[in-house]
Amino acid sequence: PLTELSNACHFCQLILASKSGRQACIGSWQSLAQQQNKRGFSTCHAGLRYVQAPIKVKGQFRAMLVAGQFYAELPSAAEEEARLQELAETHNISPVRLRAAAESVPVLNEHAQGHIEGWLKKEARVIEEFSNERLDMMRRFQMKTAQK
């Protein structure tokens, strides 16, 4: 990650607190970043959803803005139990704590997901504009400095 994570849900905090869990999260993010033009929704290694928007500076991919940690729909009890048990074993996390944390993961309807996606796209465009303006300003500054 280029920045610190902010507002991670309790479920993700538990996984990120485990060394192998953090590595799995980083692997998910790296995989996502390799899909430079991907917009929209993805599912992470732990089964949670997130939305992403690429950030391009002067037309070149530079970063991916990601927001998430939600379910698009509540998983079935059997599916959830199997996934949580596997995560707990793989990352040496208390299954009881992981189950309790999973209960607090929000389920977002299509309207809420669309709202988050729209906000993220706007935020990515703002970052692109600031980055492009800063790059232009630095180039002008370097040109002026070189002329002296």
Side-chain angles (χ1 to χ4, degrees):
L2 297 174
T3 64
E4 290 295 318
L5 268 61
S6 60
N7 300 317
C9 68
H10 185 60
F11 181 87
C12 289
Q13 289 174 11
L14 286 174
I15 292 177
L16 288 165
S18 157
K19 185 176 180 178
S20 63
R22 184 166 187 78
Q23 284 306 116
C25 291
I26 289 171
S28 280
W29 302 329
Q30 287 173 333
S31 175
L32 180 62
Q34 290 172 358
Q35 302 172 41
Q36 297 178 2
N37 292 314
K38 182 169 172 71
R39 296 175 191 269
F41 297 88
S42 295
T43 303
C44 75
H45 73 96
L48 302 185
R49 300 284 290 167
Y50 50 91
V51 62
Q52 65 276 340
I55 296 172
K56 296 181 178 181
V57 179
K58 298 296 182 192
Q60 292 189 337
F61 174 80
R62 295 295 180 205
M64 187 73 72
L65 190 59
V66 179
Q69 306 161 345
F70 61 89
Y71 292 122
E73 58 186 39
L74 203 55
S76 73
E79 180 183 273
E80 179 82 337
E81 182 58 31
R83 183 177 59 84
L84 294 175
Q85 189 62 40
E86 181 181 342
L87 286 168
E89 289 173 10
T90 301
H91 303 302
N92 196 26
I93 302 168
S94 161
V96 173
R97 291 181 66 204
L98 199 58
R99 262 186 226 101
E103 290 175 11
S104 68
V105 174
V107 179
L108 301 182
N109 63 29
E110 286 184 35
H111 176 74
Q113 292 177 48
H115 183 74
I116 291 171
E117 183 179 25
W119 170 84
L120 199 69
K121 286 178 182 177
K122 288 177 186 176
E123 187 66 25
R125 297 304 74 82
V126 167
I127 293 169
E128 287 177 349
E129 287 177 29
F130 282 147
S131 298
N132 284 321
E133 287 175 10
R134 185 170 191 277
L135 187 58
D136 288 342
M137 183 180 70
M138 293 301 295
R139 285 185 181 154
R140 286 193 308 269
F141 177 75
Q142 288 172 348
M143 287 173 42
K144 292 251 184 214
T145 305
Q147 292 173 355
K148 289 184 179 184

